[in-house]
Every structure is written in structure tokens, then in C-alpha cells.
Amino acid sequence: MNPSSPGAEVRRMSPGNHLPSGWVTFMFTDIEGSTRLAQLLGPEYRPVLREHRRLLRHTLAGTDGAELLTEGDSFFIAFSDAGAALTACLTAQRALATHDWPAPEAAPRVRMGLHTGWAEPCDGEYASPEVHRAARVAAAAHGGQVLCSGSTARYAAPLPAGASLIDLGLHRLRGFDDRERLFQLVAPGLERQFPRPRTADVVAHNLPSQVTSFVGRKPERAELRRLVERHRLVTVLGAGGAGKTRLAVELATGMVEDHPDGVWFVDIAAVTDPGLVAFAVAAVLGLRPEPGRPMVDTLVEYAASRRMLILLDTCDAQPSASAELISRLLAGGGGTRVLATSRESFGLPGEVVWRIPPLSVEPRPDGAESDAVAMLLDRTMAARGGRQPAPAEAADLRRVVQRLDGLPLAIELAAARLRVLSVGQLAERLDDVLGTLDAGRDDLGPPPPVPGWTGNQQDTVDLVAASRGKAPPTPAVRAMRRSAGERHLTMQATVTWSYRTLGPRSARLLRWLAVFAGPVDLSTVEWLLDDDPLDPLSVLVDKSMIQAEPHAAGGTYRMLDPIRAYAARRLVQAGEERAARDRHLAWLTHALRRAHLGPDGRPVTLSLYALDPLAGELRAALRWCATGGSARAGLRLAGGLDQWWRERGLAREGRLWLFRLYGRMAETGEVVPEDELAAAYHMHSLHAGADGEFTEELRYSQRAEAAARQAGDAGLLARVLAGRAGPLIDMGQFAEAERVCREVIDWAHERDVVPDALLAVFSLAELLWRRGALAEAAELLGAARPVEAARPAYRGRRSVDMLLGMVALARRDLVAAHEHLLVALRSRMTHGFHRRACDTLNAIAVRCAAGGDPLTAARLFGAAQAIRASMRSTPGICGPYWLEQQAGLRRALGDAAFDDAYGEGGELGLAEAAALALAVEHPDLGADSTRFRSTGPVAPRQLGSRTGPPLGGPPGTRLTRAARPPAAGDIS
């Protein structure tokens, strides 16, 4: 405190007073935050300061302490006995803590520091550096805390009753070059928990400073911190570039306060000889070799009595030597903890293995961007001089991080590319991940030397190597050291680092797994290699080249995209690509066949959900067929996805693959049988119709018919001819389409292939519904029901029920319409026919409008339109009908109410919209229902009366309840 401030007092000891000499313990005290306290209390600060002085002097009166200087709120006292000095501090702190101050905020928090050193008084004062050291010890303390130096702790025997000293580790006091070990006095009545001492090296560590910000990983940091706090050895495992080092350093930085003897970072990648691992750690800790003594023994002895955290980075560079050193360190004492990063575990007792996941690529629950996108945004801003990516690039940012599997190194390299590319251009180039990310980096020279602890560590290791008689490092060794340091400059280098450690079987398995686009299970790997893959697979998992993902039904194995790209390059270099990809193609053909069969091998109702997991693999196989494999095999694969393309809104993608396969046929001259060509052309025609390309639809329908006639297969020709009406309907030629449908059905009857002409039956029923021939449409559909039910590939669509529901709507029979449509919707959702489910949502919207629920109708219309638009799918023959019904609904509700409800529906997903439709109340449960009245005549409903011929039977008959549609689960 400034002597001129209010309440200031300066008192110096008279030169005649006796001062201790020899081993003197110096004590300094002052009030922490005295200036702030004076401002807070104002005039009331003066009596608080006087009472503080009185308490301290009363305490000192019973000791041999000599008060040399009192200035403001500080005391300087000399003791001849260190134990008496500690007792005085303890008594003073207790007196201050128990005193009745005017208010809690008026209680002064006094910090005290002691140091013992050799000193001789001269003219009533001490001119010794030991006085300054004592002052610095006091300055390092916090209010209410008593700190002392190591020498005071050594001479203070015995300690006051019930008191003890806590070792706070080594600290560099301001103005002193060496480090002082500080101790805290602990006793009943004293506070125990304080922040780290205020010393020149506020933190005792050598953790590398980072030039970029740390983004995300909040849950991972919390989880890893808990593990490090509970266990003495934690190994962070992950693939190269997964962010192991960065996360470990970030975590260790936050744990410095918990380790009084420091947190120390050692880069094992810089060590090229296993025998020098211990020397590298010793160099970081400031230890030097002792003649005739192993370095590891010196390390163990040093660490035995200390509380510190050692971060060993990239231990896979020297796994055995690192494991041996860790084992010795942990066995030597209980205060040392080890946090290691590696691509494989050590297998040591007590080791906790924590696998680092990629950065999350999915948006957070609160709607914020994922960690991967946040990191790419941060690095892109840096690469572009602080300019943020445009909002229009947000979708492409997500595409990029998903293609890079959230791998931090890949994201860093991608951000560097955004100096010259837009995000969209980068996303388009990521089919060649390695080529795009590593472009221009292959010829980078060694990085310039960076001053700091890294160089000191390496210099020490080199000197030790020389002292052991080893030859100076050769250029090859220097190059190897550079490669260790540069392993994260390119994706190629970081994966090569791990690949070089693989044995022949493991390397071959890694290469062959590159043909898969996604996770695989153990049986798939066995099928791929036709051999037991457990040993090499375990090696790849242990070395973090493949990620094991356990599930209740059995684990799967996944390769990150950048590693897959590297393995694919190695596959080509090994001359194994054709064999591996053909094997993958055969597996996929088998998997497609299996998707249509039950556990007993018999056909079951096709569920398109069974094809969803195969989509990525099918695309990879189609890419191979279109570029280096068989076009014929590719056409067969595309046929396996026939309905899947259209029902997922991917008809355009299906057409593009077919075009590429046609090109491959022309390029290689491969001969494809006519029946297979006919099936491909027919599928192409259906894709084109769903995609709104009606001219292309007609062209390929004609090609399919010509090829089918050449093949001479009546069933195939019936399927192709049944599709002829599609282009005519799409082009508005309804009369001609109806004529064609009748001809095809008659032709199929004559040749006993009616089931193959089912598409013509459905097209004819739609045409009859359109022109109001409801009785004929119902009769036609009634006959088609058993045919549909007998065909596993078609019965999940429930087209008969959908169309009977449309007929019932036209007849204003809400009961029949409700039952048919809900059966159709439930089946279509159950089996994954999403595009057709949109049609059913529209039909149920009409039923709701007619049943007096216009708001639900508007919501369903909005949902169906939004979902269909996202699928880029045409509405078909019912399109004008839906628009007409929506226009009537708008008139009934008014523009504002209709638009609000329609907009609400547009925000629903398909599953939510289907749930809304399936929750619509059955008409028989309505308040005006007369269906189950026990007495009186049945009055016709205003909206639900039947105005046309009844469904499913001749005129004059009524559809009985038994004739209503079976439930979706009735047909297996």
C-alpha cells in the first residue's frame, strides 16, 4: 500500500534493537487487494487497517520475531527460528479469520510468505538477496494463504501441532533465474484451496503454443479429462490426422493447475533410436546423464516424488521403447501420470485406451453448425484473409466435411485449397481426395528451424548419442527425422507413416477393403478374402487404420475416406484392383439377391429399406463397371435398384448411370443379350417418365419393345408393352393410352402372362378413374388384387388399394376411401415406397377435405408437395386432380388460413406427414356417423353418400365390410 494513502503508517526498527543473524527466517505480509478494499470501505478502511495491525502485533508479541518495517498494510519481520515463524503465521491467520469484522466484505485477506537464508544485520537492516527472495515468496501467495520456501520447510522442525506442508512444486520467482520449491502451510482453521501461486512461470509446462484456434470437441475433452483424472495411463488412439496431438495438448493445457511439478510434452516422432526415448524425456525435464547410470533410472528417481503429467506424443514411432519407459515411470511412484498419443495401444496393465472420433459432421441439436463445419469455417476465414464464406456456400461446406469424414487434418488441408477454389469447386473435386488436398505439396522442402524447446530436446538427444559412441546422424537419418516432422504436411505422408508398419496380410486387407464405400461386417470381410481375416483385421484396428464400431448384432468396420483413397492407390499399384473390385461386384450381386429373400430363402415382400444400406456400395460398383469393369454386370446391378431410384427421387441419377454404362458398352464392344438390354431400356423409360423427360421416356420405351421382341420372351415383352401407356399418358394422349392398355391386357391373356402386364392394368384403372368409369375401374382392380399379392416385388406398393381409394373418393364413399388409403399408406411407408407415399398423402388430404377437416387437408397437401419437390418427381395423371382439390380447399378456407396450414405441412418430413395422415379419425367414429345406429332408418350422409356404383361388385350391390382391404400385414 502506498504510504501516502489514508491510514498509511511507516515504522522502521531502531538500529539499536537486536536482530537475528545466521540462518534467519524472513516473513513478509500484506493485504491482498488493499487498494480495492480501501475504495470499497472509504472512511471505514482506516479502523480495519488499524485492527489488522493490532492483531498481527499481538501475535508477534509472544514470539522472538523482530518487526523491521511496517509500511501501510505490509509487515517485514525477521525470526531466528523457522518453526516459530510458521507458528506466528498460523496464529495470525487464525486470529484474522475469527475476528469480528464490521462486515464480511470488510475482512482483510492477508497473504504471508517466508524464506530462510543466511544473513547478517547491518545498521538495523539486512542487505541480502534472501530478503528479496522472501518478498517474492510472499508476492506469490494469495489472500489467506501462507507460503514458504524449501529452505524454510527444511528448518521448520517441529511444525505447529496439527499443521503440515503441501509441496506445490517448482516455481520461478520474479527476478530470480533458478526455480524455488514452494510449500503451503495447511492446518485446521486455514483455507486450503487456492489458485496456482503467482510466480513468473505462472504455469510449469513446455506445451507447444498453437497458431490456430481449437474448435469444438467439448464432449470429447470432458470425457478425456475424466479419464486422465482417474487413471495414470491414458492412450489416445486414432488415425493419422485425426487430431490426437491437438486434443491432447489442449487438454493438458487445462490441467497444468492440477500438477504442481508441471505438464511436459515430448515428441517421440523426433527420436530415431529406441534407446534414446528416455533421453528425450530427460531433456525436456532438464535432466542430464549421470556417469555410469542408466538414464531411465535417473528419470524414475526424479519422477518418484513428483506430481506431474507427461504427454508422450506419437508413441507409435517407437512403440516398444515408449511402453517400457512408461511402465518404469508408473511403477516408480504414484504422482506421475502419462497421457500418450499413438496409432496403436501399448497393452500395458492399467492402460486406458480412448479412441478419438472424427469431428462431428451433423448439425448440433441446438441447430448450430457441426464441429467439422465450424472448423472449416474458421480455417477458411484465415485462408481468405478474414472473409467468411458466403451463405450460399453453407450446403457445400457440409458436403466437404462429410466427404472428408470430419478428419481434422483433411479439413485443414481443404481450407488451404479455398484460397483459390470456391467451396462448391472443392466439393466437386473430392472424388480424388488425395490429389485435391495434397496438390502442390509434394515438393515442399523441410520446414525452417523453429527456436524453442523442440530444438533443445533434439540437441540434447544428439549430444547423448555422441556421448554413447554413436556415429553422427547420417543424411538418411536426418531425412527420416524430417519425414517424422513433416508427416502432417500431406494426407499421403500421414497415411504412409502407418502403412509402412503393416505386415503383408494386413496391408493386403487394407488395400482390398478400399473397394467398399462404407462399413462392412466380419462375414463380408471373410467373403472378400475367402480367408480368416481376424488377425490382419485386428492389426488394422489396433493401428487405427480401420475403425471398429461395435453393435448388439455384431461389429462393423469402417475406413475413413482419406485412408480409403490412399488404400485404393496402393491397390492399383499392387496390380490387384480388377480382382478386388470384381470380388466386390460378386458380393454385391449376392447381397441384392438376398434382399429379396427371407431367412428361409423364399421370396418376401420387397422392402426398399433393405436396399438403402447398399446404395453406396452399388454406386461404387457401378462406377467400376462404367470405367474399368463389365457394362453388362453394371446393367444387372442397376436393375436391382430399379424401383429404388424412383422411390428415392433419384431417377435422374439412375438415368445418368445407364448412359455411362451404354458408353462403356460402345467403348469395349461388349455384347449384352437382348433380354437384358430390353429390361435396361424399359427401366430407363420409367426413370425418364418419373424425371419429366417424356421424349426420352418414349424413345427408350420403343427401344425396349424392339429388344424384347428380338429376345422372344413373352413375359418380358408383356412387361415392356405394359409400359407403353406411360409416355402416352405423360403427353396427354389418354384415349390412345387406354386403347394400348386394353390391347396389352388382351395380348397377355392370350399368352397366359397376365401377371407381367400388371402395369397396364394399373394404367388402365387410372384412365378409367379419370374419365369417371368407376364401376369398370373397381371391377378391374378387384381382379388385380390377387395378382399383385402374388408378386413380392409389387405387393408392398399396394397399388390396388391406392386406386380403389381414389375410386371411393370419386364416389364420395369416405369409409371405403379411408380404409383403402390408410392401408396403402401404411404399406408404402413400411416397405419404403416414398414417392408413392406422396400420392397417398394427397389422396388422404382429399378425404380430409371431404370429411370436414380442411386444416389437416391443407397440411397434407403442403407436405406432399414439399416432399415431391425434394424428390424432383412429376405428379403423374393425378396432378390436375390434386390442383383442383387444392383450389376448392383454398376457396373454402380463405387464402390466409390455407397458406398458413399449407406452409406448416411443407415443414414436415415424410415420416411426420405419414403419422399425421394415419392419425386421421375413421369416418365411422365421427359424431354424425349413422353406421352403427341400432334403430331407425339409415340417413344418407351429406358428404359420405355413395353416388356411383358400389366398389368391387356389379351395379346395385354394396361393398360389405368383409370385402374391405386386408391390413398391410396380411400379405407376407
Side-chain angles (χ1 to χ4, degrees), residues 506 722 822:
S506 300
L822 262 64

Side-chain angles (χ1 to χ4, degrees), residues 730-900:
D730 290 333
M731 292 185 289
Q733 300 178 26
F734 301 116
E736 178 64 13
E738 183 174 337
R739 184 190 65 78
V740 167
C741 286
R742 293 184 186 278
E743 287 182 357
V744 171
I745 293 171
D746 292 343
W747 181 90
H749 270 291
E750 293 172 3
R751 288 158 180 78
D752 198 23
V753 288
V754 173
D756 290 298
L758 193 58
L759 180 57
V761 174
F762 293 149
S763 296
L764 179 57
E766 288 177 332
L767 291 163
L768 293 171
W769 164 82
R770 181 183 176 278
R771 66 178 177 85
L774 303 180
E776 185 181 359
E779 185 175 0
L780 183 67
L781 291 167
R785 183 184 290 283
V787 179
E788 180 187 51
R791 297 178 70 82
Y794 292 94
R795 62 189 178 211
R797 306 188 312 199
R798 284 295 182 104
S799 298
V800 169
D801 280 305
M802 173 65 192
L803 292 172
L804 284 174
M806 295 296 292
V807 170
L809 285 176
R811 290 171 163 172
R812 304 177 70 79
D813 183 349
L814 295 191
V815 172
H818 182 95
E819 293 178 354
H820 282 300
L821 293 175
L822 262 64
V823 165
L825 179 60
R826 190 173 291 112
S827 181
R828 289 176 171 191
M829 291 300 297
T830 299
H831 296 98
F833 292 91
H834 294 168
R835 182 176 67 98
R836 293 173 186 273
C838 287
D839 290 332
T840 316
L841 289 176
N842 276 318
I844 295 175
V846 177
R847 171 258 175 274
C848 289
D853 188 358
L855 290 177
T856 299
R859 291 189 186 101
L860 291 176
F861 274 133
Q865 175 58 30
I867 295 164
R868 183 175 290 281
S870 70
M871 293 184 176
R872 297 174 54 88
S873 180
T874 57
I877 194 172
C878 296
Y881 177 69
W882 308 138
L883 293 176
E884 177 187 337
Q885 295 295 317
Q886 289 180 36
L889 188 59
R890 178 182 288 276
R891 288 192 296 271
L893 279 174
D895 288 343
F898 178 86
D899 288 340
D900 287 345

Side-chain angles (χ1 to χ4, degrees), residues 697-707:
E697 177 188 19
L698 179 59
R699 182 168 70 252
Y700 277 93
S701 175
Q702 293 168 344
R703 291 185 182 181
E705 182 178 345

